[in-house]
Amino acid sequence: LHRVDRRQRQMCIRDSTKGGMGATTLALNTAVEIASYHPNEVLLLDIDLQFGVIPEYLNITPTYSISDAIDSSNDLDEMSLSSLVNKHTSGLHVLSFKHENNADDYEHAQKIGKLLPVLRRFYRYIIIDFSRGLDHMFASAISPATKVLLVAQQTLVSVKNSNRLIRTLKFEYGLQQDSICLLYTSDA
């Protein structure tokens, strides 16, 4: 790890209107692809408090979690951060919740805004995999995003919910329309 020029930093969030649409798979595959061109410069944050599955998809067993990184955020430097993240053979780095203590994870999730500025100093690309929908608890992770990938199905309900999410991203979090990308999946 090394410090990254502020102008080169990208933070992308991935969200969907409901579970089961392949949005986590999209976030994971996007992160792995970017890491293939920029090894050790991509961090994938799995901030789904209940059903985060990225470590399982990558067949890694986290030693440390987002909670540990938040607890250490005041003292994180290149070496300590390097020891907290999980490194995949693709060159991708991963941080997730361990799902051992939901109350503790929830408490730490409220402090994620304390960790993100530290992570942005060391990673050129940060991809955040949300659960479904937007949770105001993660406002500090939404507002600084440079790109939002919103996954929706081609159904009336999904399109309506996507429009609600887009309005929320624009009016409550101040994101620009050109930073929001809507991806439709099919039910096939």
Side-chain angles (χ1 to χ4, degrees):
L1 291 179
H2 61 282
R3 286 194 183 266
V4 176
D5 183 329
R6 180 175 298 221
R7 294 168 301 208
Q8 296 179 337
R9 299 177 195 156
Q10 298 289 316
M11 191 169 90
C12 175
I13 61 175
R14 193 283 321 147
D15 199 6
S16 63
T17 56
K18 71 179 196 100
M21 292 193 293
T24 294
T25 302
L26 175 70
L28 177 59
N29 288 337
T30 301
V32 168
E33 181 68 15
I34 295 170
S36 73
Y37 295 98
H38 303 280
N40 303 314
E41 294 183 47
V42 182
L43 176 67
L44 178 56
L45 288 177
D46 183 353
I47 61 172
D48 188 328
L49 288 169
Q50 290 183 310
F51 304 113
V53 294
I54 287 175
E56 287 83 4
Y57 284 175
L58 291 171
N59 198 26
I60 57 177
T61 305
T63 304
Y64 298 103
S65 70
I66 291 174
S67 298
D68 298 312
I70 290 170
D71 287 340
S72 304
S73 61
N74 289 335
D75 303 317
L76 280 179
D77 59 15
E78 295 169 43
M79 294 296 286
S80 57
L81 181 57
S82 182
S83 69
L84 288 174
V85 297
N86 300 286
K87 297 172 183 92
H88 186 256
T89 57
S90 64
L92 175 65
H93 292 188
V94 177
L95 268 175
S96 62
F97 287 104
K98 279 189 162 183
H99 308 290
E100 294 172 347
N101 183 334
N102 286 342
D104 186 58
D105 286 347
Y106 182 81
E107 181 181 316
H108 280 91
Q110 295 176 356
K111 300 175 187 171
I112 199 146
K114 185 177 168 184
L115 178 63
L116 286 174
V118 176
L119 298 175
R120 291 186 83 183
R121 287 194 316 234
F122 299 108
Y123 287 97
R124 186 172 180 181
Y125 301 96
I126 298 175
I127 297 173
I128 302 175
D129 184 37
F130 277 77
S131 55
R132 58 201 164 276
L134 297 175
D135 190 325
H136 289 289
M137 171 176 33
F138 295 117
S140 60
I142 299 168
S143 295
T146 56
K147 184 64 81 180
V148 176
L149 302 176
L150 181 59
V151 179
Q153 290 180 325
Q154 297 177 21
T155 65
L156 179 61
V157 172
S158 184
V159 170
K160 285 176 78 174
N161 288 338
S162 297
N163 282 329
R164 282 188 209 140
L165 282 175
I166 290 170
R167 279 194 307 274
T168 300
L169 288 166
K170 289 169 52 178
F171 298 115
E172 291 185 33
Y173 297 103
L175 296 176
Q176 299 299 312
Q177 180 71 38
D178 62 353
S179 69
I180 302 168
C181 181
L182 187 58
L183 305 170
Y184 286 105
T185 63
S186 63
D187 290 337

